[in-house]
Amino acid sequence: MTGRRICIFGAGAVGSHVAARLLRAGVPDVSVVARGPHLAAMRERGLTFRSSREDFHVAVPAATDDPSTLPPQDVVVVTLKAPALPAVAGALARLLAPDGVAVFLLNGIPWWWNHGLREGGGPLPLLDPDAALWRNVGPARALGGVVMSPNEIVEPGVVVHGARNRFIIGEPDGGDSPRARGLVELFTAAGMPALLSTDIRTDIWLKLLLNAPGNPLAALTRLSAKDRAVDPELAELGQRIAGEVADTAGALGYDLPQYADADDSMTWAATRSETRPSMLQDVLLGRATEVECLLGQVQAFARERSVPTPVIDIVLPILRGLDRSLRR
């Protein structure tokens, strides 16, 4: 990746973590697309990164809210939330160099899911309603990404990183491509341990075992991860959602060997009292949520395969109602 232009598109919590690491590692030609007070703070004072192990500050020499002002990029690390992606599909397409690649570090089912599947159709209407991403960016230029790295913008220009720090990157077709391997090496060298996946969809399902229960229940209750885990009824609800996710994945042919009755998601949550999942952060800030990529598309897959999802069928309409109120 040496000598290639790299843009972090949507430098919120995860994007700011990635940008801070790359800039601290001295990676050249790194630019950031952000907005609002956070962008203003990065322009004026740079970016501060904090965690239990590290605290450092970096200058951000190229930060903008207008991607058209940047030259064509060889790599675009997309860290916008899924609901915001269709609206920026044209801007992403114009930003990518002709042979450029976009790695989507997203929660939940990604918009490119059907690309390369034997039974694959085209875009998923819940995630790419007008096929803007499918037509403009194109799934062939996309890499999948899974983020196991909780982060939060605690004030403009300051990102705080919680426990865990792992990234998974892979081609939708499971290949070992130079572009995927190059990104894995780049992230790892910059202090973000990354793995090259040969089955990125299974890795996405495994992350959903955490996200599908944790994010919606945090958004609806506004309780911390620890408080949810020690509440027997909420813990059971989370376990049932995770079970429905696992059943749906299994019906689609994805074996989730790490799923067990003990439910890794709740065990993990119980030890992370300060964790505020991204959906809770969005609710507290009055922003649209990731309801469709976390639960809506899971339900759609389940209905295609006649998999019962009684808990998701109750939680999802409530979450969609919350999302509508936030969008207003």
Side-chain angles (χ1 to χ4, degrees):
M1 290 291 171
T2 304
R4 296 170 70 82
R5 293 191 178 102
I6 301 172
C7 178
I8 313 302
F9 196 106
V14 172
S16 294
H17 177 182
V18 174
R21 295 279 193 186
L22 293 177
L23 289 166
R24 189 192 191 200
V27 177
D29 293 322
V30 173
S31 58
V32 170
V33 174
R35 62 183 181 182
H38 187 52
L39 171 62
M42 288 191 289
R43 282 173 164 171
E44 294 170 10
R45 304 186 298 274
L47 182 58
T48 296
F49 176 95
R50 294 175 183 161
S51 73
S52 60
R53 298 182 178 182
E54 298 179 89
D55 192 331
F56 63 85
H57 182 83
V58 293
V60 185
T64 181
D65 58 0
D66 183 0
S68 69
T69 63
L70 299 173
Q73 301 291 306
D74 302 295
V75 177
V76 179
V77 181
V78 185
T79 53
L80 279 179
K81 302 287 179 64
L85 289 177
V88 300
L92 276 172
R94 290 187 291 272
L95 185 60
L96 278 169
D99 61 347
V101 60
V103 56
F104 288 84
L105 301 182
L106 305 175
N107 283 328
I109 305 296
W111 64 271
W112 51 259
W113 186 267
N114 281 336
H115 177 59
L117 292 181
R118 292 179 183 176
E119 300 179 13
L124 296 170
L126 288 176
L127 307 180
D128 191 11
D130 299 314
L133 291 158
W134 196 273
R135 287 184 289 102
N136 289 281
V137 179
R141 294 207 284 178
L143 286 175
V146 176
V147 181
M148 307 295 284
S149 174
N151 300 273
E152 184 171 356
I153 302 295
V154 295
E155 63 180 270
V158 180
V159 59
V160 173
H161 169 62
R164 289 188 167 190
N165 183 25
R166 185 162 65 96
F167 295 78
I168 304 172
I169 296 170
E171 291 281 357
D173 66 2
D176 182 355
S177 69
R179 64 184 191 174
R181 186 165 291 280
L183 274 168
V184 166
E185 293 171 354
L186 175 72
F187 272 50
T188 300
M192 297 174 286
L195 300 174
L196 178 66
S197 173
T198 56
D199 188 0
I200 192 66
R201 289 180 180 83
T202 293
D203 291 315
I204 289 168
W205 281 114
L206 288 170
K207 175 71 182 294
L208 265 172
L209 292 178
L210 304 177
N211 276 353
N215 272 279
L217 294 181
L220 293 173
T221 66
R222 303 197 182 193
L223 291 175
S224 71
K226 184 175 181 180
D227 287 339
R228 295 195 317 276
V230 300
D231 182 309
E233 292 178 321
L234 285 176
E236 181 183 357
L237 196 61
Q239 290 172 343
R240 291 180 65 185
I241 292 173
E244 292 175 8
V245 170
D247 290 343
T248 302
L252 292 172
Y254 299 94
D255 181 31
L256 305 187
Q258 295 180 28
Y259 180 72
D261 291 339
D263 187 7
D264 287 343
S265 64
M266 300 307 290
T267 301
W268 181 80
T271 64
R272 301 295 189 269
S273 60
E274 301 302 319
T275 297
R276 295 208 298 184
S278 59
M279 189 177 283
L280 175 55
Q281 295 178 38
D282 290 336
V283 168
L284 294 175
L285 293 171
R287 300 187 301 215
T289 67
E290 300 165 300
V291 55
E292 300 303 342
C293 65
L294 291 180
L295 284 187
Q297 190 58 50
V298 173
Q299 184 197 61
F301 284 153
R303 289 181 173 178
E304 288 173 7
R305 299 302 175 101
S306 300
V307 177
T309 54
V311 178
I312 290 176
D313 291 347
I314 293 172
V315 173
L316 179 57
I318 300 171
L319 204 61
R320 281 175 169 160
L322 174 61
D323 186 69
R324 284 197 299 274
S325 73
L326 293 169
R327 289 175 184 270
R328 289 173 184 166

